[in-house]
Structures are given as C-alpha cells and as structure tokens.
Amino acid sequence: MGRRKLKNPKLKKSAVPVLFPNYPKYISNTAHFQRESPESKRLRFDNKLLNQFAMDDHLDYKDLENLKIQNYVFLSLINAAFFVKHQVGDDGHLHVEKTLRLDLINNNLVPSLYANSFKISDSDYKHICTFLTLKSELDNLVIFLTNYELTAENQIQISHSMLVDTANKLNFGNICERSFSFLCDQLILLSKHKFQRRYTSNTILEGYQLYALSQRYYNSLRDFLCLPHVRHLQCLIHSNLKVTTTLEPSTYLSFVINKEFSNEKAKVVLTIDEIYVKSSIDYKAGTVSGFAQNGN
C-alpha cells in the first residue's frame, strides 16, 4: 500500500530545502538510487539461471512421452516406459540393439539398461543415478547406453549375474554361487590371450586348494583349465604366508588324530628343504670351526 498524502504535509525537524523551482537544475539536489554492485548483479543473474534450469530439468513420468531422443523410439505401458534403439538386419527384420527401461516404483523412476537382450549390471551405471529425477541424468544414461560395447567379457559377467540372482531366488546356497564365480572366471580367462590373463583372488584360492591336494593333479588340471602357474603360487606362499601357532607339534597332532579340529583347520603346510654340509675347517679371529677327517 502506498502512503496517503496529507493535505498539509508536516516537515521533520531535520528537513532542509533541496528543490528550488525557477533556478538552475544543478542547485537542486534530487534523490539518487544507489547502483547494484557488479558482483551482486552477477550473483543474482546466476541464481536466476540456476533456478530456471532446475525447473526445466525436472523430470516427471508424464514428461517422458514428450521427450525426443535421437535414434530411440518411445514405448509406454501403465507403470513402465521404454526407449528402444533398433536396426534392420540382413534378413529384413527389426532387431533390438539397445533398450532403456524406466519403471515407476513408489513415484520414483528406476532405470534398467539392456544391450541385445542382456541386462547391463546396475554397478556399471550407478555412478550416474539410482533414481531418475532429472532430464540431464536421462541424457547421461542414453549416452552411456549408446556407447556401451557388449564384449565377450561383458556377456560372461552379465550371464554370471543372472545365474547368481536365479540361484539366490531358488536358495541354492553359497556352493552354487561359488561354482558360478569359478566358471565365470574361467570363461573370461579363456577369452583372453595367456599373456593377458589376470587371475582373480577367488581363482588363486581355488587353485591353491587344488595344488595342496596334489601337485601332479594340479598340473594335469592346467591342461584344460586356466589356473596360475605353480611358481606363481609358490611365490605368493613364500612372500605372504606366515604360520604361527602356540601348540606343540605333539599336541597339535593329537587334536588332528582325535578329530577335534574341523576339516579346514586340520590342513597344514609343510615346507621341507634338503641341507648339505661340506666337510671343511675354517679359521677366523683365532677360532677354528668346522670338521675334517683324514683319509686314513
């Protein structure tokens, strides 16, 4: 509300005349507004642009139908939306190459990516987003999916994830998951050159357990399985394995004989080396050490 003007305005005690009609303008002192500083003006415009961008970048399920993504076709269901990239094969039929699926769960858009009907692991794109709330996040997912190359190693890892999920749903237990992991590692190693293979910790542990049973059996398995070389296992053992026990050997063996240890704890590693001493006499610092015997 504006202030009501009085018919006879009252002056303050500190009021002084500043406007003089019929006199030059430079004598009168008109009110001047203070200019906004450049920093404050720049900050105000930046905040305005950021707020406008945040409003425009907000993504809702109803907005998906109006979005246009190059080379992708939009399909919609009741609680799911799809952006599909397809191509015409040599047989003249359409083949789905990439698929971006968005499921509406508790008012949240949960993305799922597919490449040639293979579901890409969530860990590969979780750095982009877990729940889709912005259009910029959708653009980043589309770029990631478009540039994603489905290699043989990726197919093996995706198949492994699907098998583990199926095993967990069917309650197969840890043994089945352990077998799936070992088979997946073997397939990945087989797809690489022998000089480019990098063994995982699970493969090294499985290989060492086989090596501890029998070295000859382990060498036979290496003819058709991708397992670390014996020297590689020996180097790991000598550099990292430190065995310490507070039990006397006789006490420990009695525990093993009486089966008071589990099968895992009953396993021991013995390292035996040959020692050869040459008969000779050494004199150093006034001390004679060694042993020698004449031929007679």
Side-chain angles (χ1 to χ4, degrees):
M1 292 180 62
R3 299 179 62 182
R4 178 181 295 180
K5 295 183 179 180
L6 300 177
K7 184 177 181 180
N8 298 319
K10 296 180 180 180
L11 299 177
K12 295 181 179 180
K13 293 182 179 180
S14 59
V16 293
V18 293
L19 298 177
F20 302 98
N22 302 325
Y23 281 88
K25 292 183 178 180
Y26 66 89
I27 297 178
S28 301
N29 186 13
T30 57
H32 294 281
F33 295 97
Q34 186 177 2
R35 290 187 61 185
E36 186 178 6
S37 63
E39 292 79 6
S40 177
K41 187 176 181 180
R42 189 182 302 111
L43 181 62
R44 179 167 58 84
F45 276 103
D46 290 344
N47 291 333
K48 182 179 179 180
L49 292 175
L50 288 175
N51 293 333
Q52 185 65 33
F53 176 77
M55 293 177 60
D56 297 338
D57 198 35
H58 179 71
L59 181 63
D60 192 44
Y61 184 77
K62 299 178 181 179
D63 301 333
L64 295 176
E65 187 176 359
N66 299 325
L67 294 178
K68 294 182 179 180
I69 301 178
Q70 188 177 5
N71 299 328
Y72 283 84
V73 178
F74 177 76
L75 300 174
S76 177
L77 297 178
I78 298 177
N79 291 323
F82 301 85
F83 288 96
V84 181
K85 180 181 180 181
H86 56 79
Q87 61 180 356
V88 180
D90 297 335
D91 54 358
H93 295 84
L94 293 178
H95 298 276
V96 177
E97 184 179 356
K98 304 290 179 63
T99 304
L100 170 59
R101 175 173 179 172
L102 300 175
D103 294 311
L104 185 61
I105 302 176
N106 297 329
N107 296 327
N108 293 322
L109 289 174
V110 181
S112 301
L113 305 183
Y114 297 85
N116 294 341
S117 71
F118 287 95
K119 186 179 185 300
I120 303 175
S121 177
D122 299 342
S123 58
D124 292 343
Y125 57 88
K126 68 178 181 180
H127 62 281
I128 299 177
C129 68
T130 305
F131 300 104
L132 202 62
T133 57
L134 302 175
K135 295 179 183 178
S136 56
E137 294 175 344
L138 178 61
D139 294 338
N140 292 332
L141 282 177
V142 171
I143 294 173
F144 171 81
L145 181 60
T146 303
N147 297 330
Y148 186 83
E149 295 182 1
L150 191 62
T151 60
E153 183 176 351
N154 292 335
Q155 292 182 6
I156 294 171
Q157 291 177 350
I158 292 171
S159 302
H160 170 256
S161 301
M162 295 173 62
L163 290 174
V164 171
D165 293 339
T166 305
N168 293 333
K169 293 179 181 178
L170 299 177
N171 296 324
F172 284 165
N174 296 329
I175 298 178
C176 189
E177 183 177 355
R178 175 182 172 185
S179 302
F180 287 156
S181 299
F182 181 76
L183 292 176
C184 179
D185 293 340
Q186 289 298 308
L187 291 175
I188 293 175
L189 292 172
L190 286 172
S191 63
K192 296 182 179 181
H193 193 269
K194 63 179 181 178
F195 296 116
Q196 297 177 347
R197 295 171 182 169
R198 296 295 181 268
Y199 299 100
T200 61
S201 58
N202 293 330
T203 303
I204 294 175
L205 290 176
E206 296 291 345
Y208 179 72
Q209 291 182 3
L210 296 174
Y211 174 75
L213 293 175
S214 173
Q215 182 175 354
R216 181 177 297 179
Y217 175 66
Y218 182 79
N219 290 329
S220 300
L221 289 177
R222 291 190 72 249
D223 294 337
F224 56 89
L225 289 179
C226 296
L227 296 173
H229 197 272
V230 175
R231 289 195 297 269
H232 182 62
L233 294 178
Q234 292 174 349
C235 292
L236 292 176
I237 294 170
H238 292 301
S239 61
N240 298 324
L241 185 61
K242 294 182 180 179
V243 180
T244 57
T245 178
T246 57
L247 298 177
E248 295 293 332
S250 58
T251 306
Y252 181 81
L253 292 177
S254 64
F255 274 112
V256 176
I257 294 172
N258 296 328
K259 298 183 179 180
E260 297 185 21
F261 281 163
S262 62
N263 294 331
E264 296 295 331
K265 294 183 179 180
K267 293 180 181 179
V268 297
V269 178
L270 297 179
T271 303
I272 302 176
D273 193 8
E274 298 178 358
I275 300 175
Y276 175 75
V277 180
K278 183 180 179 181
S279 59
S280 62
I281 295 178
D282 186 20
Y283 176 79
K284 186 176 181 181
T287 303
V288 178
S289 60
F291 175 78
Q293 186 176 4
N294 295 331
N296 298 329

